Structure formats: C-alpha cells, structure tokens
C-alpha cells in the first residue's frame, strides 16, 4: 500500500503489477491473431500448420491473381485520392481554427469532428442515396474518394490540430510585416515547420481509406478493392491467400507506424506528439 | 467591401473562411446533406428498386410494427452496451498503467494499441477467425488433443461480441489515455497525505477528472458497435442478425431504399441519443485538460 512509487521509485506499487498484467493480456489478445496469421501465411497446411512446412505458395498465388492485382491498384488510387483531399481540407480547417479568433470557430470545429461520431455504415449508405437520387451520380472511384475523405478529414484535422497548437504564428506575422504575401509566407515559413503533421494526417487518411470496407463498398459499385475482395473471399471461409493478404497489409501498416515512431523518438518529427 | 479589407490585406474573417470554408462545405455536402436526404427518403416509397416521392409513414410503421426489426434493434443495442462496458472495464486499467507507469515506453505502448485498428475490419476478423474460428488454432489444438472444440466460439453471438471488443477496444484505451496523460497524478499524493484510501482517491479524483476521456471512449465504441454489420456476418450464427446487417440488406439484395433510409434514421437517432445523454455530464472545466496541461 505504502509503496505508491512515483513513476520510477525503487519499489513498484502492487497496483502497478496487477495493471501491467492487464496490459500484457490486452496485447496478447490484440496480437496473437495477427502473429498467428503471419505464421500461417507461410504454411502449406493452413488448418494445422505444425510443424511449419515453409512455403511461399500463398504469396505467389496472391501476386499471380489478376483480381487481387486489380483490387490493389484500385485501393491504392482510392486511398491516395482520399488522403490528398483529406489533408488539404484538414490543414485549412486546423490552421483557420488556431490562427483566427472567428466567431465561427465552434461551428467549424463541430463540422470537422462530426464524422467521427457517425458510423461507417451510415456514411456509406447516406452518401450512396444522396449521390444516386439527389445528384444523379453513379458510384465510381471519385465518389468513393470523396466519401472516404469525410472521415479522413476528421482524423487529419485532429492530428494537425494536436501539433499546431504549439506553432508560433508570430513568425508568420513577422514575415508578413516584411512584405511576404500569404502564399509565400506559407511556403517559406509555415510549411517547412508543419509538414510532418500534414504528412501524418496524409498517412492516416491513406491507411483508413485503403482498408475501409463499408463506406467504399456502397460508393464504388462493382469496382473491386482489397477489402471488398477479402470480404467476398472470407464468405467462403479462410483460404491461404487471405492469410497472405492479411500478413502483407499488417506488415504495411506496421512499417508506417514503425517509421512514424522512429521519427517521433528521434525528435525529427512530432506528428502531434509532445514527448515527456 | 472596404470594411472587410484593411489596406492590402484581407480581413481575418475572410481568411478564416477561405481556409476553413472548403472543408466545412465539404462536410456539409458529404455528411450532413446525405444524412438529411435519408431522412427525406425514409418518408418515401420504393417499388421494384426505384424510389418514389409519395410521402407516407409506412416505413416507420413497418419498422416499429414488425417483430423482426425490434429484435434486430434490441440485439444490436444490448450487444453494443455490453461490448462498451467490457471495453471500459478492460480499457481503464491499461490506459491508467500506460499513463502513470509507461515512462519512456508510453508512446510505443499507445502506438502498438492503435496500429492494429488501421488494418481494417475484414482483415482483423480474418485474423481473429484464424485463431478462434472453427478451423482456428484454439479449436484445432483441442481436436489434436482429442478434446471437443469450444462450441461457444463457433458462430455464436458471443463470438460476434468478442469480435467487436477486438475491433474497438483500441478506441476506448486511446481516449482514456489521452485524458489521463494530461491528468496531474500528484493530486493522488495530496489525497493520500490527507488520509484518503486509494479507492476513495480514484472515485473522487481520478475518475471524475478523467470523465471526458471515458465519455468520448464510450461514444466512440458504442456508435460503431450499434451499426455493426461485419462481426455478426462472419462470426455470429443464424440467430445473430444485427440491425446494421438488416439495414445493409435494404440497400443491397432487397433494394428497399426507403425502408433502409428509415432504419438509417433510426440508427442515427439512437446514436445521437447516446451523445445527448452523455453530453451534459461533461464539464470541461473539471477535466484534466485544464488542470495540468503544461503550456
């Protein structure tokens, strides 16, 4: 009881040990399925892969499949477009809210954060209904990009806001006093400092759109994406190519997170992280 | 016009609108107007895959009258409530540990929690099925050992709920963590010096001062769980059909968009009710955000 060590005291509080056990359990729960999927993706027999009979067949089949190839190319285009839209809109919103004391700040904050509180399914079907019946637009890659950018903008807004809270706008004011126009000021003063947060927002929006199922599904018509092909394949049960796909996408996401972690730790880039 | 321009420079309000306007307009056009449009369509009628604008309340009558929809909705509601409660109970200790004792590993621990979320629902469920599904590691191990497989995890509502916890617990932990990381833990020392037992200090200080993070976590987990389509589809059995599954069928196989819109409105109102219920309990002045932010 009396241990109550603060952070790094010599004695560790018993509570801390119990909570640490909870933490370990949660990580096991989160990561055991992922690790098993990666392991099994290299196995000949996905039902009982012990001992491991190493093979790359699943990956070869995946790369040889024209359906998965097309789906990958669609997903990449969709994610890139959606991330570009999201980053531009989110950056504008975050800079406006932090820099100008407008009466409309509350409304803008509300609009930019609102998408986080609407379920994917509702975003998907309502945009489908609106596009089809009100605007008369068919589902295609562009409408799916826009639909995915709704959430991407919200996540991007929060990421950029978190880092820019600390940005010193008097640098910009100084540049303006010396006669720089707003665009030149942004390109030479603001952008070199804030680009990491824009990049962070871009990456998160990219991954979100890349892996989104429900919003994309309703707004793409019959065009395949990786999640929709995976969905179709999962209906027939777990196949080796699903294991390989899950392993690759996990590797892709973790590579991005590892890069972000490395950059934040070395202090090169913050992505909204303040350090201790 | 001259009032809005001072010298060569644009008025700040115009610049504010120039920067935030495109995003705000985009959200209005791609979120608010579509939501409004399904409110309108919910009073229309569908016939052979076409929407007709003759105003009626039939969709709502069907929705409230037919037992199946009530069952689907209640099932989704109860599942979402239980899953949110489990995420809360399991998420708090983890978030607390990372914020208080995480030290220099804090960032790593939080990113490791967040990363799996970004691989998307389908591939996460694929992974979960690989471990817990009928031909998953757990059941096959039992079969190899000559034991019966765990029936409770094969196409049941339990499996579907477990899948939801797997998908969304990261939201809960992250939201609570972001609140705790701004919480001044020295307040607990003060409480102890003044004779408060740890539990009392938790209930009277830590919990209320971090309620905002908890509340955001609850909402962020509850809303997607209520609209959940994917886990009952792949992990639940024949008796696991959720409201979201039924809704998505109206926009897919059956093509009854008007009824689907009414279900969407219903779903939105239910989510909104949760936000409205939780909103008055949030007092920003009493949150950790104002207390210990180092400026």
């Amino acid at each position: 009881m009396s241990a109550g060590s603060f952070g790094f005291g010599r004695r560790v509080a018993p509570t801390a040990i119990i909570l640490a056990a909870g933490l370990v359990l949660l990580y096991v729960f989160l990561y055991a399925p992922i690790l098993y999927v990666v392991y099994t993706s290299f196995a000949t027999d996905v039902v009982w892969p012990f001992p491991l009979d190493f093979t790359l067949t699943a990956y070869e089949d995946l790369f040889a499949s024209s359906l998965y190839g097309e789906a990958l190319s669609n997903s990449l285009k969709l994610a890139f477009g959606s991330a570009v839209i999201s980053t531009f809109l989110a950056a504008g919103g975050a800079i406006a809210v932090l820099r100008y004391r407008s009466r409309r700040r509350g409304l803008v904050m509300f609009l930019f954060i609102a998408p986080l509180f609407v379920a994917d399914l509702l975003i998907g079907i309502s945009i489908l209904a609106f596009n089809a019946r009100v605007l008369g637009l068919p589902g295609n890659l562009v409408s799916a990009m826009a639909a995915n950018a709704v959430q991407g903008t919200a996540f991007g807004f929060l990421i950029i806001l978190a880092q820019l809270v600390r940005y010193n706008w008097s640098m910009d004011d100084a540049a303006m006093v010396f006669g720089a126009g707003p665009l030149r000021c942004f390109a030479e003063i603001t952008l070199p400092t804030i680009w990491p947060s824009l990049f962070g927002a871009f990456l998160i929006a990219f991954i979100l759109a890349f892996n989104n199922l429900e919003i994309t599904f309703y707004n793409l018509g019959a065009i395949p994406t990786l999640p929709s092909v995976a969905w179709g394949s999962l209906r027939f049960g777990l196949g080796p190519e699903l294991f390989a796909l899950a392993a690759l996408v996990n590797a892709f996401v973790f590579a991005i997170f590892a890069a972000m972690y490395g950059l934040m730790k070395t202090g090169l880039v913050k992505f909204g992280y303040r350090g201790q | 016009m001259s009032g809005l321009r001072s010298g060569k420079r644009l008025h700040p309000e115009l610049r504010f609108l120039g920067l935030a306007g495109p995003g705000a307009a985009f959200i209005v056009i791609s979120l608010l107007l579509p939501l409004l449009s399904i409110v309108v369509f919910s009073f229309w009628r569908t016939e052979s895959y076409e929407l007709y604008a003759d105003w009626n309340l039939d969709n709502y009558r069907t929705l409230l009258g037919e037992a199946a929809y009530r069952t689907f909705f209640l099932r989704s509601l109860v599942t979402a409530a239980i899953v949110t409660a489990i995420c809360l109970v399991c998420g708090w200790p983890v978030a607390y540990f990372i914020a208080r004792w995480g030290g220099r590993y804090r960032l790593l621990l939080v990113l490791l929690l967040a990363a799996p979320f970004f691989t998307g629902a389908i591939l996460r469920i694929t992974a979960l099925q690989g471990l817990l599904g009928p031909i998953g590691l757990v059941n096959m191990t039992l079969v190899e050992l000559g034991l019966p497989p765990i029936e409770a995890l094969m196409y049941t509502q339990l499996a579907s709920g477990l899948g939801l916890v797997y998908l969304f617990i990261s939201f809960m932990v992250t939201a609570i963590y972001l609140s705790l990381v701004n919480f001044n833990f020295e307040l607990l020392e003060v409480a102890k010096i003044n004779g408060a037992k740890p539990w009392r200090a938790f209930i009277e200080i830590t919990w209320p001062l971090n309620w905002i993070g908890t509340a955001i976590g609850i909402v962020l987990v509850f809303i997607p769980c209520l609209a959940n389509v994917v886990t009952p589809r792949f992990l639940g059995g024949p008796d696991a059909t959720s409201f979201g599954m039924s809704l998505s069928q109206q926009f897919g196989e059956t093509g009854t968009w008007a009824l689907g819109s009414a279900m969407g409105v219903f779903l939105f109102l239910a989510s909104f009710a949760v936000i409205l219920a939780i909103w008055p309990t949030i007092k920003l002045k009493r949150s950790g955000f104002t207390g210990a932010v180092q400026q």
Side-chain angles (χ1 to χ4, degrees):
Chain A
M1 267 316 177
S2 60
S5 68
F6 237 94
F8 309 100
R10 264 148 275 134
R11 295 172 64 194
V12 182
T15 333
I17 296 166
I18 299 168
L19 295 187
L23 178 94
V24 171
L25 280 179
L26 181 62
Y27 282 99
V28 169
F29 178 55
L30 282 178
Y31 281 93
I34 295 173
L35 294 176
Y36 183 68
V37 153
V38 175
Y39 172 84
T40 313
S41 70
F42 295 110
T44 317
D45 179 10
V46 294
V47 177
W48 186 251
F50 305 102
L52 184 65
D53 181 10
F54 185 86
T55 172
L56 287 174
T57 326
Y59 290 93
E60 281 158 11
D61 290 349
L62 192 65
F63 287 117
S65 151
S66 61
L67 179 60
Y68 277 105
E70 198 196 335
L72 173 67
S73 130
N74 287 330
S75 282
L76 286 173
K77 281 182 217 155
L78 169 71
F80 184 80
S82 173
V84 169
I85 301 173
S86 306
T87 311
F88 267 101
L89 298 179
I95 293 172
V97 161
L98 288 174
R99 197 158 177 204
Y100 302 104
R101 304 211 151 267
S102 165
R103 276 185 296 114
R104 298 185 182 87
R105 278 209 306 183
L107 176 67
V108 165
M109 295 268 285
F110 166 79
L111 283 174
F112 275 84
I113 292 171
L116 295 181
F117 297 96
V118 183
D120 281 14
L121 175 67
L122 269 180
I123 296 181
I125 57 129
S126 64
I127 296 182
L128 165 71
F130 183 69
N131 280 351
R133 199 60 177 73
V134 181
L135 302 180
L137 295 173
N140 59 33
L141 216 49
V142 178
S143 58
M145 276 175 196
N148 272 289
V150 173
Q151 272 190 342
T153 304
F155 274 94
F157 178 73
L158 288 181
I159 291 170
I160 298 172
L161 204 64
Q163 186 179 358
L164 259 60
V165 165
R166 262 125 230 284
Y167 183 77
N168 186 357
W169 294 106
S170 54
M171 289 194 291
D172 295 58
D173 293 336
M176 303 275 246
V177 166
F178 287 106
L183 280 182
R184 184 155 171 227
C185 170
F186 181 79
E188 291 189 12
I189 311 285
T190 323
L191 197 59
T193 319
I194 70 163
W195 73 265
S197 65
L198 301 189
F199 188 53
F202 177 88
L203 286 179
I204 294 298
F206 186 94
I207 307 176
L208 272 177
F210 187 83
N211 287 315
N212 185 279
L213 174 72
E214 285 171 69
I215 299 176
T216 309
F217 180 78
Y218 291 104
N219 288 287
L220 254 185
I223 305 171
T225 61
L226 279 188
S228 74
V229 173
W231 187 90
S233 161
L234 189 59
R235 282 188 306 167
F236 302 107
L238 289 173
E241 83 287 355
L242 265 179
F243 282 97
L245 179 68
L248 284 177
V249 171
N250 269 296
F252 166 67
V253 169
F254 280 94
I256 287 178
F257 270 78
M260 281 166 69
Y261 177 70
L263 289 172
M264 283 191 259
K265 265 296 167 191
T266 50
L268 231 56
V269 163
K270 285 195 163 63
F271 297 117
Y273 170 66
R274 289 205 295 274
Q276 267 101 51
Chain B
M1 196 60 201
S2 62
L4 286 173
R5 282 172 170 271
S6 52
K8 268 171 60 186
R9 296 238 203 116
L10 280 170
H11 189 276
E13 186 65 21
L14 280 184
R15 287 207 220 152
F16 175 83
L17 290 178
L19 282 167
F26 176 73
I27 302 288
V28 169
I29 294 170
S30 339
L31 184 73
L32 301 190
L33 290 183
L35 286 174
L36 198 65
S37 75
I38 64 163
V39 175
V40 171
F41 297 154
S42 72
F43 296 104
W44 289 12
R45 180 171 61 85
T46 18
E47 205 177 283
S48 46
Y49 297 90
E50 274 296 322
L51 271 169
Y52 293 99
D54 44 356
W55 301 79
N56 65 78
L57 286 171
D58 286 355
N59 300 311
Y60 289 98
R61 260 183 226 123
T62 312
L63 209 52
L64 297 172
E66 277 187 31
Y69 296 114
R70 277 203 302 269
T71 313
F72 297 157
F73 185 73
L74 280 179
R75 183 179 290 145
S76 287
L77 194 68
V78 172
T79 309
I82 295 174
V83 168
T84 309
I86 293 174
C87 288
L88 186 63
V89 172
C90 300
W92 243 98
V94 175
Y96 190 91
F97 178 85
I98 301 178
R100 187 159 183 189
W101 289 291
R104 60 203 183 90
Y105 298 111
R106 263 186 192 175
L107 177 66
L108 180 67
L109 292 173
V110 171
L111 285 184
L112 278 176
L113 273 174
F117 169 74
F118 289 95
T119 47
I122 285 293
L123 293 179
R124 297 191 73 194
I125 286 174
T126 302
L128 200 60
Q129 270 206 323
L131 199 68
L132 299 175
I135 60 159
L137 178 62
V138 171
N139 276 329
M140 290 314 289
T141 309
L142 291 172
V143 169
E144 292 282 318
L145 294 173
L147 297 166
I150 306 173
E151 301 267 341
L153 288 179
M154 287 161 74
Y155 303 116
T156 58
Q157 289 194 48
L158 178 72
S160 168
L162 196 68
L164 281 179
V165 174
Y166 187 69
L167 289 184
F168 296 114
I169 194 166
S170 306
F171 278 172
M172 184 68 88
V173 184
T174 312
I176 298 169
Y177 168 80
L178 286 176
S179 173
L180 276 170
V181 85
N182 287 306
F183 172 68
N184 189 350
F185 281 100
E186 283 171 40
L187 290 175
L188 297 183
E189 288 295 289
V190 177
K192 202 170 93 183
I193 290 164
N194 286 301
K197 291 254 166 22
W199 268 108
R200 181 134 183 248
F202 178 80
I203 290 164
E204 291 194 16
I205 299 169
T206 320
W207 176 264
L209 286 183
N210 292 290
W211 171 246
I212 183 165
T214 313
I216 292 174
I218 289 173
V219 171
L220 285 182
V221 172
F222 187 86
I223 288 177
C225 286
L226 190 66
N228 174 38
V229 181
V230 189
T231 70
R233 174 72 182 75
F234 291 110
L235 303 172
D239 62 342
T241 307
S242 68
F243 194 72
M245 263 171 95
S246 175
L247 197 172
S248 70
Q249 271 165 14
Q250 314 298 327
F251 280 89
E253 294 95 311
T254 53
T256 41
W257 284 26
L259 180 60
S261 297
M263 296 179 82
V265 172
F266 214 71
L267 193 62
F268 181 78
L269 289 179
S271 323
F272 199 62
V274 173
I275 297 175
L276 277 188
I278 237 166
W279 184 255
T281 64
I282 295 175
K283 295 182 185 67
L284 272 179
K285 291 236 166 70
R286 287 211 64 197
S287 75
F289 288 127
T290 45
V293 175
Q294 315 89 19
Q295 283 296 338

